[in-house]
Amino acid sequence: MGFYNKMSWVLAFLGFMFLGGLSNANGAIHHYDFVLKETNFTRLCSTKSILTVNGSLPGPTITVQKGDTAFVNVHNQGLYGLTIHWHGVKQPRNPWSDGPENVTQCPIPAGTNFTYEVIFSSEEGTLWWHAHSDWTRATVYGAIVILPALNTTYPFATPDAQETLILGSWFKGDVMELIEYALASGGDPNISDAFVINGQPGDLYDCSNETTYRWLVDYGKTYLLRVINAVMNEEQFFAIANHTLTVVAQDAAYIKPITTSYIMITPGQTMDILVTANQPPSHYYIASKAYVDGTVAFNNSTTTAIVQYNGNYSAPSTTPFPTLPDYDNETAADNFTSQIRALASKEHPISVPLEIDSKIIISIAINERICPNSSCSGPDGNALSASLNNISFELPSVDILQAYYRGNNNGVYSTSFPNKPPYTFNFTGDVGNNTIYPSFGTRVRMIKYGEGVEIVFQGTNIIAPENHPMHLHGYSFYVVGTGSGNFNSTTSPKTYNLVDPPEVNTIGVPKNGWAAIRFVADNPGVWFMHCHLERHSSWGMDTVLIVRNGNTTERKIRSPPAYMPPCSKS
Ligand SMILES: *[C@@H]1O[C@H](CO)[C@@H](O)[C@H](O)[C@H]1NC(C)=O
Ligand SMILES: *[C@@H]1O[C@H](CO)[C@@H](O)[C@H](O)[C@H]1NC(C)=O
Ligand SMILES: *[C@@H]1O[C@H](CO)[C@@H](O)[C@H](O)[C@H]1NC(C)=O
Ligand SMILES: *[C@@H]1O[C@H](CO)[C@@H](O)[C@H](O)[C@H]1NC(C)=O
Ligand SMILES: *[C@@H]1O[C@H](CO)[C@@H](O)[C@H](O)[C@H]1NC(C)=O
Ligand SMILES: *[C@@H]1O[C@H](CO)[C@@H](O)[C@H](O)[C@H]1NC(C)=O
Ligand SMILES: *[C@@H]1O[C@H](CO)[C@@H](O)[C@H](O)[C@H]1NC(C)=O
Ligand SMILES: *[C@@H]1O[C@H](CO)[C@@H](O)[C@H](O)[C@H]1NC(C)=O
Ligand SMILES: *[C@@H]1O[C@H](CO)[C@@H](O)[C@H](O)[C@H]1NC(C)=O
Ligand SMILES: *[C@@H]1O[C@H](CO)[C@@H](O)[C@H](O)[C@H]1NC(C)=O
Ligand SMILES: *[C@@H]1O[C@H](CO)[C@@H](O)[C@H](O)[C@H]1NC(C)=O
Ligand SMILES: *[C@@H]1O[C@H](CO)[C@@H](O)[C@H](O)[C@H]1NC(C)=O
Ligand SMILES: [Cu+2]
């Protein structure tokens, strides 16, 4: 750490000398090399080749201080093109390095490299990075740790040490083949074969006894535990036997501490948790399993790791196991999420927009795409699909950012994403057949620089209602309200929390309910917005917000880097 920090400061000085105003003036500069390559891993009694960064699962951790910049040179030595996304990093004015395939860049072709400039600004806490091409994020992911800036500290006693646990999915087969097959057949993709903690399934699965992840702790110390949900398709309940969790941050923003025995965390979210090793020195299970509120196929298994105290004692004959809520316990999930409030202190203030210029209501639905002769394996012989405001998003083959920036849209996208659902009906009741079939297209919503924006996500009962973790790139946003049933524009806003709403980048929209978010559109760019359940995103539960330039240089998208990966003419 010491050497690395010194290197950073040398580099920061050089960066200041040579890059001048290009980078965040106050922050240090860090450099990372990510080598994407196929690597053999043995899990669940069999060996297979997976795509990794630098041969490890999870990949390397990026550690910075608030306000720093990291240059990450991605060398693609894999078999196909792909991109990397820095989940939750706002990247002020710099959509060029955001990553979603064919939204802000075309894939980095195999055999080439591309350097991302990851610009940190107000984020402090934990974020993560992952591949953003098809289902490659199943194995290409890692943590981002953002420490307090120089001369500042945590809004709680400085922890003695830190630990990161990343929850993930493991598939025995090839994930790229799996999603290609699902999209071609129209049916549900196969569920994963295991969940993993730091790449290990844990000893409830076959052949995993010896490799279960162990977190070594010293009695009496307090740890800052960073939990990241990188799972592909399921929300998670997570707990540690006999240890109390004190949740202090979510999505790299501080919250009022929540003392709890378990958390519910959706794919895309992160939580920072204080854990004190104050139990009799022994071994204790950490466990995580799915929380599912819909009638959908899901992985119903449990991944484990072990908290192991350092010292001399005999290992317990039975390792205590935590009590996790049942997989379908909505009360338990809501009880936890309803407690989350921004810290909203003098050092960590919030600024919720009170004046709203753009009000957008977005219905979220699972749909069907009609197949000729009912030849698909989804419902009614159709293919499964998904939509926002009844539009199922289609990725273009030239990135939207480039088309927008060069001013030659040329049919790449249309700006007609609607402000509200095309039909109004009882979204969360008996929806009939009217909105089962969406329309298809690459429709984006334009937003003026500086506007106060409110988006109400309205869950629907179409085909298969469930919780949808909606994620917005380029921003974090305030969750000012959530509720069950239909959003009512007269009564629902009266329930808003404008005092200490949590500031996040991913919000679980309750099953057959709604969530209202607010933000100021002060980051010009092309920003993907999508469900972080990977199968829903693949089916079209996505759209793009284009935030226009403001009227000064500091309010405009930066010039593109000298090199961007080429878009092939296919
Ligand atoms: C991975 O394993 C396969 C089959 O076991 C083997 O053929 C291949 O050479 C291995 N690759 C590497 C990079 O070790
Ligand atoms: C990375 O890509 C750039 C642009 O194509 C190229 O000039 C450079 O040689 C590459 N560097 C490495 C280390 O591959
Ligand atoms: C941090 O604190 C040190 C010592 O108190 C001081 O010399 C330095 O200027 C401070 N740096 C910043 C960026 O505030
Ligand atoms: C380890 O593996 C054995 C044999 O598969 C199994 O009986 C046992 O329950 C596993 N778990 C532990 C914690 O030993
Ligand atoms: C862990 O908690 C359980 C249930 O509260 C208790 O019975 C057990 O004694 C505890 N184990 C240890 C090692 O403290
Ligand atoms: C999931 O597993 C639990 C027990 O582990 C079981 O009670 C429940 O029925 C299972 N649910 C489904 C949908 O398979
Ligand atoms: C659901 O979880 C809550 C809170 O943990 C608990 O009180 C309740 O008994 C659980 N419900 C069921 C059906 O287990
Ligand atoms: C959440 O659960 C705790 C403990 O079971 C209980 O005291 C509290 O009332 C619950 N809160 C809500 C909002 O349901
Ligand atoms: C992205 O565009 C490229 C062509 O530039 C195309 O080959 C690729 O299939 C597209 N990706 C997706 C996910 O549509
Ligand atoms: C919508 O449908 C639900 C479920 O049938 C029902 O409880 C609710 O009252 C309906 N709402 C309206 C506004 O009709
Ligand atoms: C909805 O569509 C399905 C399949 O096309 C059909 O079987 C069903 O009767 C329709 N229901 C209504 C209420 O129209
Ligand atoms: C909204 O709630 C008000 C007050 O309960 C009610 O009069 C109105 O009909 C509701 N609006 C809709 C669209 O359901
Ligand atoms: Cu979803």
Side-chain angles (χ1 to χ4, degrees):
M1 201 59 200
F3 173 73
Y4 195 75
N5 272 350
K6 273 180 207 130
M7 278 301 291
S8 299
W9 284 104
V10 173
L11 291 167
F13 179 67
L14 293 175
F16 177 74
M17 293 291 286
F18 297 117
L19 296 170
L22 268 187
S23 299
N24 189 325
N26 302 315
I29 308 282
H30 308 255
H31 289 270
Y32 289 86
D33 280 296
F34 276 21
V35 179
L36 281 159
K37 58 183 176 189
E38 293 286 329
T39 311
N40 280 345
F41 272 74
T42 303
R43 296 285 184 277
L44 309 178
C45 321
S46 69
T47 299
K48 73 164 200 169
S49 175
I50 61 167
L51 191 62
T52 65
V53 171
N54 299 356
S56 68
L57 180 74
T61 298
I62 289 186
T63 304
V64 300
Q65 286 180 298
K66 182 180 176 180
D68 289 357
T69 294
F71 287 90
V72 186
N73 193 346
V74 176
H75 308 261
N76 186 356
Q77 295 176 6
L79 304 171
Y80 39 78
L82 87 175
T83 67
I84 308 275
H85 167 58
W86 318 92
H87 183 111
V89 184
K90 299 183 188 80
Q91 300 271 30
R93 303 172 48 223
N94 188 31
W96 306 106
S97 281
D98 188 47
E101 176 166 323
N102 297 4
V103 175
T104 61
Q105 69 170 101
C106 282
I108 305 166
T112 73
N113 73 89
F114 174 62
T115 301
Y116 289 91
E117 181 175 353
V118 187
I119 304 174
F120 294 89
S121 51
S122 57
E123 308 87 358
E124 182 172 323
T126 309
L127 293 171
W128 59 301
W129 54 266
H130 61 80
H132 215 303
S133 301
D134 301 306
W135 277 31
T136 45
R137 83 166 175 87
T139 58
V140 178
Y141 59 80
I144 300 178
V145 170
I146 308 155
L147 303 168
L150 196 68
N151 293 358
T152 71
T153 185
Y154 301 95
F156 41 81
T158 300
D160 298 301
Q162 316 216 1
E163 173 71 4
T164 300
L165 298 178
I166 310 188
L167 314 176
S169 300
W170 182 266
F171 294 84
K172 283 183 176 166
D174 180 308
V175 281
M176 295 295 270
E177 283 170 14
L178 186 151
I179 184 59
E180 270 168 38
Y181 174 79
L183 293 177
S185 72
D188 228 339
N190 285 348
I191 61 168
S192 62
D193 296 290
F195 295 118
V196 291
I197 296 176
N198 286 355
Q200 294 295 349
D203 55 20
L204 300 186
Y205 297 94
D206 288 344
C207 312
S208 306
N209 276 3
E210 305 304 319
T211 56
T212 301
Y213 183 80
R214 281 161 196 273
W215 171 22
L216 302 179
V217 299
D218 291 326
Y219 178 82
K221 283 190 177 167
T222 295
Y223 294 81
L224 182 52
L225 173 65
R226 304 168 186 273
V227 178
I228 297 166
N229 187 349
V231 165
M232 295 294 277
N233 286 308
E234 291 98 347
E235 279 107 26
Q236 297 282 299
F237 282 128
F238 169 99
I240 306 177
N242 296 52
H243 288 75
T244 298
L245 310 178
T246 304
V247 188
V248 290
Q250 183 183 356
D251 290 5
Y254 293 113
I255 63 170
K256 294 192 170 74
I258 298 170
T259 303
T260 179
S261 60
Y262 67 91
I263 62 168
M264 194 287 276
I265 182 167
T266 76
Q269 290 178 335
T270 67
M271 306 240 172
D272 293 3
I273 304 170
L274 294 173
V275 179
T276 300
N278 57 6
Q279 295 300 300
S282 188
H283 298 180
Y284 299 87
Y285 270 114
I286 300 170
S288 188
K289 70 173 192 191
Y291 160 56
V292 179
D293 56 5
T295 48
V296 296
F298 70 101
N299 183 331
N300 196 16
S301 65
T302 304
T303 179
T304 56
I306 290 174
V307 176
Q308 186 173 319
Y309 281 65
N310 290 317
N312 289 324
Y313 56 87
S314 37
S317 51
T318 313
T319 304
F321 203 87
T323 307
L324 285 169
D326 291 343
Y327 76 95
D328 59 352
N329 190 331
E330 278 185 67
T331 310
D334 294 348
N335 183 310
F336 174 68
T337 46
S338 66
Q339 295 178 52
I340 302 173
R341 300 266 186 281
L343 180 60
S345 66
K346 191 161 142 274
E347 290 76 22
H348 300 278
I350 60 165
S351 57
V352 193
L354 300 178
E355 280 180 27
I356 299 302
D357 306 290
S358 273
K359 271 195 186 174
I360 310 172
I361 301 182
I362 299 180
S363 61
I364 305 176
I366 303 296
N367 305 94
E368 293 177 28
R369 179 167 50 78
I370 295 173
C371 289
N373 311 318
S374 301
S375 57
C376 288
S377 24
D380 308 319
N382 288 326
L384 282 160
S385 169
S387 65
L388 296 177
N389 273 350
N390 221 36
I391 297 151
S392 189
F393 189 80
E394 289 177 325
L395 280 172
S397 53
V398 174
D399 65 277
I400 296 173
L401 173 58
Q402 197 177 144
Y404 166 69
Y405 189 79
R406 311 243 179 256
N408 57 352
N409 176 350
N410 216 357
V412 172
Y413 63 91
S414 107
T415 57
S416 59
F417 185 84
N419 264 339
K420 57 183 176 60
Y423 320 103
T424 301
F425 54 96
N426 186 346
F427 297 109
T428 56
D430 178 7
V431 294
N433 273 358
N434 288 331
T435 48
I436 284 180
Y437 307 108
S439 56
F440 296 83
T442 310
R443 301 220 223 155
V444 313
R445 174 64 156 78
M446 304 300 295
I447 291 174
K448 286 202 194 100
Y449 182 91
E451 283 192 340
V453 180
E454 177 175 298
I455 297 176
V456 175
F457 294 109
Q458 174 66 63
T460 70
N461 198 24
I462 302 169
I463 301 190
E466 68 172 305
N467 183 306
H468 299 283
M470 294 302 298
H471 172 53
L472 172 61
H473 293 217
Y475 287 87
S476 56
F477 49 78
Y478 296 102
V479 182
V480 294
T482 58
S484 61
N486 297 302
F487 178 80
N488 179 315
S489 59
T490 310
T491 56
S492 300
K494 290 180 179 148
T495 69
Y496 282 1
N497 170 11
L498 301 173
V499 177
D500 57 1
E503 183 184 356
V504 298
N505 62 56
T506 305
I507 174 64
V509 178
K511 177 178 89 166
N512 277 331
W514 56 269
I517 68 167
R518 285 187 176 189
F519 60 94
V520 175
D522 57 4
N523 189 14
V526 170
W527 306 113
F528 204 33
M529 185 166 74
H530 60 99
C531 181
H532 223 283
L533 301 183
E534 213 54 33
R535 66 190 194 290
H536 293 176
S537 184
S538 301
W539 289 337
M541 195 176 275
D542 326 278
T543 189
V544 165
L545 305 183
I546 298 187
V547 177
R548 293 182 192 276
N549 282 334
N551 52 13
T552 62
T553 307
E554 298 72 41
R555 295 174 177 183
K556 288 181 167 46
I557 296 180
R558 297 183 355 165
S559 309
Y563 171 80
M564 287 295 292
C567 299
S568 62
K569 293 194 191 81
S570 65

